[in-house]
Amino acid sequence: MTSYFDEHNCQPLESGEEPNHLLDLARLLLDSGIGAQFQLEFERIFGNVDGRKQPPAAKHIIENLPLINYFNNDEKCSICLKEFQLNLTTELPCHHKYCKICIIEWLKLVNSCPMCRIEFETDDKDYEEYKKQKQRLKQRQVELDDLHNSMFS
Amino acid sequence: MNIAMNRIMKEFKEVVANESNGIELHMPEGELTRNPSNSSSNKKEIYLSGSLLGPPDTPYAGARFHVDIIVVDTYPFNPPKVRFTTKIWHPNISSVTGAICLDILKDQWAAAMTIRTVLLSLQALLATPEPDDPQDAVVANQYKKDRKLFEKTARHWANVYANGPTPEPECDAAVKSLAEMGFDEEKARAALSSMHWNTSDALESLCKA
């Protein structure tokens, strides 16, 4: 059986040691995803001031881009505007094609397709939590609207 | 030659071939690249200029607005820096510096965009201001509170600074009366525009400055 301390990822206090309440509070807030909630609340009140900056795409996505050789001769990479070359071209899950080196440089900055802006997974836990909260908020709004419509129509 | 320069060369052909939308892109005369003035690094920036025709059915219709475009070394992975050099009265453009508040020039930039799509987006911005995300708070306030007065002011600025076809005689007369008192015409126009064309309020703000 795992001990209480293992389960909560903390250590028993040494004799004479005081618990660090501030640290506990910080841990509690982080675990509950309240940081992301604050961000959303801030956006609701003040508007999306300069937007949350999108983080880079997850490493495993960048490392596992496939090489593809199905493209037309006149198709061009929309980043460098050059025609595609054999064994240097890749395709994102949204089926937009780019030179592999071009899209790698972009995905190291931003986690979305430059053509359709579909977002890919990131390694930024904070951002993933923010995305989830945003999704939940949207879902709640849809449910509220449904409820409202079912009552008043 | 780096990717930024390569792409700009290709983009030039694209804009020159597509001039039907009233947008223009120009190469500067002489040196194409310069080192940024505030750094000693050897990163080159490309200096271009462009212009766009004000969209129809707006106070900017028929007027031509010029912009400075600085293409950074890391283009197209980072957006170009764009600023209006023609004075303009618009909620999302500073009436003083010409700085632009537009998401695609900041965090919504995508590497597949081009200078051409930027110029077209600016044209669209002239047609549909976003007063809730203002660059110039004074203009945005006027836009929200008194749309007629905003349109009159914007039309007057377009006529005076951008060869717009429609003069606003009342505005011209008010500016002239302050200029005759010895105030700089441009400053008088800015003060009148900010003070809803109330001459005594404008006079007060000019004297305070």
Side-chain angles (χ1 to χ4, degrees), chain B residues 137-185:
Chain B
V138 176
V139 185
N141 253 328
Q142 190 182 69
Y143 181 91
K144 284 208 260 193
K145 291 190 176 135
D146 191 343
R147 184 71 65 89
K148 278 249 150 24
L149 193 65
F150 159 80
E151 284 172 3
K152 184 171 164 178
T153 311
R155 217 170 9 248
H156 170 65
W157 281 50
N159 172 247
V160 174
Y161 295 119
N163 275 324
T166 321
E168 290 290 338
E170 283 175 49
C171 299
D172 290 329
V175 173
K176 199 176 165 212
S177 74
L178 285 184
E180 276 166 0
M181 293 180 203
F183 291 105
D184 176 69
E185 195 184 296

Coordinates of all heavy atoms in Angstrom, one line a residue, chain B residues 137-185:
Chain B
A137 N -7.4 55.8 -28.8 CA -8.6 55.8 -27.9 C -9.6 56.9 -28.2 O -10.8 56.8 -28.1 CB -8.2 55.8 -26.4
V138 N -9.0 58.1 -28.6 CA -9.8 59.3 -28.9 C -10.7 59.0 -30.1 O -11.9 59.2 -30.1 CB -8.9 60.5 -29.1 CG1 -9.8 61.7 -29.5 CG2 -8.1 60.8 -27.9
V139 N -10.1 58.5 -31.1 CA -10.8 58.2 -32.3 C -11.9 57.1 -32.1 O -13.0 57.2 -32.5 CB -9.9 57.7 -33.5 CG1 -10.7 57.5 -34.8 CG2 -8.8 58.7 -33.7
A140 N -11.5 56.0 -31.3 CA -12.4 54.9 -31.0 C -13.6 55.4 -30.3 O -14.8 55.0 -30.6 CB -11.7 53.9 -30.3
N141 N -13.4 56.3 -29.3 CA -14.5 56.9 -28.6 C -15.5 57.6 -29.4 O -16.7 57.5 -29.3 CB -14.0 57.9 -27.5 CG -14.1 57.3 -26.1 OD1 -15.0 56.5 -25.9 ND2 -13.1 57.6 -25.3
Q142 N -14.9 58.5 -30.3 CA -15.8 59.2 -31.3 C -16.5 58.3 -32.2 O -17.7 58.5 -32.4 CB -14.9 60.2 -32.1 CG -15.7 61.2 -32.9 CD -14.8 62.0 -33.7 OE1 -14.1 61.6 -34.7 NE2 -14.7 63.3 -33.4
Y143 N -15.9 57.2 -32.6 CA -16.5 56.2 -33.5 C -17.7 55.6 -32.8 O -18.8 55.5 -33.4 CB -15.5 55.2 -33.9 CG -16.0 54.1 -34.8 CD1 -15.9 54.2 -36.2 CD2 -16.7 52.9 -34.3 CE1 -16.4 53.2 -37.0 CE2 -17.1 52.0 -35.1 CZ -17.0 52.1 -36.5 OH -17.5 51.1 -37.3
K144 N -17.6 55.3 -31.5 CA -18.6 54.7 -30.8 C -19.8 55.6 -30.4 O -20.9 55.3 -30.4 CB -18.1 54.0 -29.5 CG -17.3 52.7 -29.8 CD -17.4 51.8 -28.7 CE -16.1 51.8 -27.9 NZ -16.0 50.7 -26.9
K145 N -19.4 56.9 -30.1 CA -20.4 57.8 -29.6 C -21.1 58.7 -30.6 O -22.2 59.1 -30.5 CB -19.8 58.7 -28.5 CG -19.4 57.9 -27.3 CD -19.0 58.7 -26.1 CE -18.8 57.8 -24.9 NZ -17.6 58.2 -24.1
D146 N -20.4 59.0 -31.7 CA -20.9 59.9 -32.7 C -20.4 59.5 -34.1 O -19.5 60.1 -34.6 CB -20.5 61.4 -32.4 CG -21.3 62.4 -33.2 OD1 -21.9 61.9 -34.2 OD2 -21.3 63.5 -32.9
R147 N -21.1 58.5 -34.6 CA -20.6 57.9 -35.9 C -20.5 58.9 -37.0 O -19.6 59.0 -37.8 CB -21.4 56.7 -36.3 CG -21.0 55.9 -37.5 CD -19.7 55.2 -37.2 NE -19.9 54.1 -36.3 CZ -20.3 52.9 -36.6 NH1 -20.5 52.6 -37.8 NH2 -20.6 52.0 -35.7
K148 N -21.6 59.8 -37.1 CA -21.6 60.8 -38.1 C -20.4 61.8 -38.1 O -19.8 62.0 -39.1 CB -22.9 61.7 -38.0 CG -24.1 61.0 -38.6 CD -24.6 61.8 -39.8 CE -25.3 60.9 -40.9 NZ -25.9 59.7 -40.5
L149 N -20.1 62.2 -36.9 CA -18.9 63.1 -36.7 C -17.6 62.4 -37.0 O -16.7 63.0 -37.6 CB -18.9 63.6 -35.3 CG -18.0 64.8 -35.1 CD1 -18.4 66.0 -35.8 CD2 -17.8 65.2 -33.6
F150 N -17.5 61.1 -36.6 CA -16.4 60.3 -36.9 C -16.2 60.3 -38.5 O -15.1 60.5 -39.0 CB -16.5 58.9 -36.4 CG -15.5 57.9 -37.1 CD1 -14.2 57.9 -36.7 CD2 -16.0 57.1 -38.1 CE1 -13.3 57.0 -37.4 CE2 -15.1 56.3 -38.8 CZ -13.8 56.2 -38.4
E151 N -17.2 60.0 -39.2 CA -17.1 59.8 -40.6 C -16.7 61.1 -41.3 O -15.9 61.2 -42.2 CB -18.5 59.3 -41.2 CG -18.6 57.8 -40.9 CD -20.0 57.3 -41.3 OE1 -20.8 58.0 -41.9 OE2 -20.2 56.1 -41.1
K152 N -17.3 62.2 -40.8 CA -17.0 63.6 -41.3 C -15.5 63.8 -41.1 O -14.8 64.3 -42.0 CB -17.8 64.6 -40.6 CG -17.7 66.0 -41.1 CD -18.7 66.9 -40.4 CE -18.4 68.3 -40.5 NZ -19.5 69.1 -39.9
T153 N -15.0 63.6 -39.9 CA -13.6 63.8 -39.6 C -12.7 62.9 -40.4 O -11.7 63.4 -41.0 CB -13.3 63.5 -38.1 OG1 -14.3 64.2 -37.3 CG2 -11.9 64.0 -37.7
A154 N -13.0 61.6 -40.5 CA -12.2 60.7 -41.3 C -12.2 61.2 -42.8 O -11.1 61.1 -43.5 CB -12.8 59.3 -41.2
R155 N -13.3 61.6 -43.3 CA -13.4 62.1 -44.7 C -12.5 63.3 -44.9 O -11.8 63.5 -45.9 CB -14.8 62.4 -45.1 CG -15.2 62.0 -46.5 CD -16.7 62.0 -46.8 NE -17.5 62.6 -45.9 CZ -18.5 61.9 -45.2 NH1 -18.6 60.6 -45.4 NH2 -19.2 62.5 -44.3
H156 N -12.6 64.2 -43.9 CA -11.8 65.4 -44.0 C -10.3 65.1 -44.0 O -9.5 65.6 -44.8 CB -12.1 66.3 -42.8 CG -11.2 67.5 -42.6 ND1 -11.1 68.5 -43.5 CD2 -10.3 67.8 -41.6 CE1 -10.2 69.4 -43.1 NE2 -9.7 69.0 -42.0
W157 N -9.8 64.2 -43.1 CA -8.4 63.8 -43.1 C -8.0 63.2 -44.4 O -6.9 63.4 -44.9 CB -8.1 62.9 -41.9 CG -8.0 63.5 -40.6 CD1 -8.9 64.4 -40.0 CD2 -6.9 63.4 -39.6 NE1 -8.4 64.8 -38.8 CE2 -7.2 64.2 -38.5 CE3 -5.8 62.6 -39.6 CZ2 -6.4 64.3 -37.4 CZ3 -4.9 62.7 -38.5 CH2 -5.3 63.5 -37.4
A158 N -8.9 62.3 -44.9 CA -8.6 61.6 -46.2 C -8.5 62.6 -47.3 O -7.6 62.5 -48.2 CB -9.7 60.6 -46.5
N159 N -9.3 63.7 -47.3 CA -9.3 64.7 -48.3 C -8.0 65.5 -48.2 O -7.4 65.8 -49.2 CB -10.5 65.6 -48.2 CG -10.5 66.8 -49.1 OD1 -10.3 67.9 -48.6 ND2 -10.5 66.6 -50.4
V160 N -7.6 65.9 -47.0 CA -6.4 66.7 -46.8 C -5.1 66.0 -47.0 O -4.2 66.4 -47.7 CB -6.5 67.4 -45.4 CG1 -5.2 68.2 -45.2 CG2 -7.7 68.3 -45.3
Y161 N -5.0 64.8 -46.4 CA -3.8 64.1 -46.4 C -3.6 63.0 -47.5 O -2.5 62.6 -47.8 CB -3.5 63.4 -45.0 CG -3.4 64.4 -43.9 CD1 -4.3 64.4 -42.9 CD2 -2.4 65.3 -43.9 CE1 -4.2 65.3 -41.8 CE2 -2.3 66.2 -42.9 CZ -3.2 66.2 -41.8 OH -3.1 67.1 -40.8
A162 N -4.7 62.5 -48.0 CA -4.6 61.3 -48.9 C -5.3 61.5 -50.3 O -5.7 60.6 -50.9 CB -5.2 60.1 -48.2
N163 N -5.5 62.8 -50.6 CA -6.2 63.1 -51.9 C -7.6 62.5 -52.1 O -8.0 62.2 -53.2 CB -5.3 62.5 -53.1 CG -4.2 63.5 -53.5 OD1 -4.5 64.7 -53.5 ND2 -3.1 62.9 -53.8
G164 N -8.3 62.4 -50.9 CA -9.7 61.9 -51.0 C -10.5 62.9 -51.8 O -10.2 64.1 -51.8
P165 N -11.6 62.4 -52.5 CA -12.3 63.3 -53.4 C -13.3 64.2 -52.7 O -13.8 65.1 -53.4 CB -13.0 62.3 -54.3 CG -13.2 61.1 -53.4 CD -12.0 61.0 -52.4
T166 N -13.7 64.0 -51.4 CA -14.8 64.8 -50.8 C -14.3 65.8 -49.8 O -13.9 65.4 -48.7 CB -15.8 63.8 -50.2 OG1 -15.9 62.7 -51.0 CG2 -17.1 64.5 -50.0
P167 N -14.3 67.1 -50.1 CA -13.9 68.1 -49.1 C -15.0 68.2 -48.1 O -16.2 68.0 -48.3 CB -13.7 69.4 -49.9 CG -14.2 69.1 -51.3 CD -14.6 67.7 -51.4
E168 N -14.6 68.7 -46.8 CA -15.6 69.0 -45.8 C -15.4 70.5 -45.5 O -14.6 70.8 -44.6 CB -15.3 68.1 -44.5 CG -15.6 66.7 -44.7 CD -17.1 66.4 -44.8 OE1 -17.9 67.2 -44.3 OE2 -17.5 65.3 -45.3
P169 N -16.2 71.3 -46.2 CA -15.9 72.8 -46.0 C -16.0 73.3 -44.6 O -15.2 74.2 -44.3 CB -17.1 73.4 -46.9 CG -17.5 72.3 -47.8 CD -17.3 71.0 -47.0
E170 N -16.9 72.8 -43.8 CA -16.9 73.2 -42.4 C -15.6 73.0 -41.6 O -15.1 73.8 -40.9 CB -18.0 72.5 -41.6 CG -19.4 73.0 -41.9 CD -20.5 72.2 -41.2 OE1 -20.3 71.9 -40.0 OE2 -21.4 71.7 -41.9
C171 N -15.1 71.8 -41.9 CA -13.8 71.4 -41.2 C -12.7 72.3 -41.7 O -11.9 72.8 -40.9 CB -13.4 69.9 -41.5 SG -14.7 68.8 -40.9
D172 N -12.6 72.5 -43.1 CA -11.6 73.3 -43.6 C -11.6 74.7 -43.0 O -10.6 75.3 -42.7 CB -11.8 73.4 -45.2 CG -11.5 72.1 -45.9 OD1 -10.6 71.4 -45.4 OD2 -12.1 71.8 -46.9
A173 N -12.9 75.3 -42.9 CA -13.0 76.6 -42.3 C -12.5 76.7 -40.9 O -11.9 77.6 -40.5 CB -14.5 77.0 -42.5
A174 N -12.9 75.7 -40.1 CA -12.5 75.7 -38.7 C -11.0 75.6 -38.5 O -10.4 76.4 -37.7 CB -13.1 74.5 -38.0
V175 N -10.3 74.8 -39.3 CA -8.9 74.7 -39.3 C -8.2 76.0 -39.7 O -7.3 76.5 -39.1 CB -8.4 73.5 -40.2 CG1 -6.8 73.5 -40.3 CG2 -8.9 72.2 -39.7
K176 N -8.8 76.6 -40.8 CA -8.3 77.8 -41.3 C -8.3 78.9 -40.2 O -7.4 79.7 -40.0 CB -9.1 78.2 -42.5 CG -8.3 79.2 -43.4 CD -9.1 79.6 -44.7 CE -8.5 80.8 -45.3 NZ -9.5 81.6 -46.0
S177 N -9.5 79.0 -39.5 CA -9.6 80.0 -38.5 C -8.5 79.9 -37.4 O -8.0 80.9 -36.9 CB -11.0 80.0 -37.9 OG -11.2 79.0 -37.0
L178 N -8.2 78.7 -37.0 CA -7.2 78.5 -36.0 C -5.8 78.8 -36.6 O -4.9 79.4 -35.9 CB -7.2 77.1 -35.4 CG -8.3 76.8 -34.4 CD1 -8.2 75.4 -33.8 CD2 -8.4 77.8 -33.3
A179 N -5.6 78.4 -37.8 CA -4.3 78.6 -38.5 C -4.0 80.1 -38.6 O -2.9 80.6 -38.4 CB -4.3 78.0 -39.8
E180 N -5.1 80.9 -38.8 CA -4.9 82.3 -38.9 C -4.5 83.0 -37.6 O -4.0 84.1 -37.6 CB -6.2 83.0 -39.5 CG -6.3 82.9 -41.0 CD -7.7 83.2 -41.6 OE1 -8.6 83.5 -40.8 OE2 -7.8 83.1 -42.8
M181 N -4.8 82.3 -36.5 CA -4.4 82.8 -35.2 C -2.9 82.5 -35.0 O -2.4 82.9 -34.0 CB -5.2 82.2 -34.1 CG -6.6 82.6 -34.1 SD -7.4 81.7 -32.7 CE -9.1 81.7 -33.2
G182 N -2.3 81.7 -35.9 CA -0.9 81.5 -35.8 C -0.6 80.0 -35.3 O 0.6 79.7 -35.1
F183 N -1.6 79.2 -35.2 CA -1.3 77.8 -34.8 C -0.9 77.0 -36.0 O -1.4 77.3 -37.1 CB -2.6 77.2 -34.1 CG -2.9 77.7 -32.8 CD1 -3.9 78.6 -32.6 CD2 -2.1 77.4 -31.7 CE1 -4.2 79.1 -31.4 CE2 -2.3 77.9 -30.4 CZ -3.4 78.8 -30.3
D184 N -0.1 76.0 -35.8 CA 0.3 75.1 -36.8 C -1.0 74.3 -37.3 O -1.8 73.9 -36.5 CB 1.3 74.0 -36.2 CG 1.6 73.0 -37.3 OD1 2.3 73.3 -38.2 OD2 1.2 71.8 -37.1
E185 N -1.1 74.3 -38.7 CA -2.3 73.7 -39.2 C -2.6 72.3 -38.8 O -3.7 71.9 -38.5 CB -2.3 73.9 -40.8 CG -3.6 73.7 -41.5 CD -3.5 73.7 -43.0 OE1 -3.1 74.8 -43.5 OE2 -3.8 72.7 -43.6

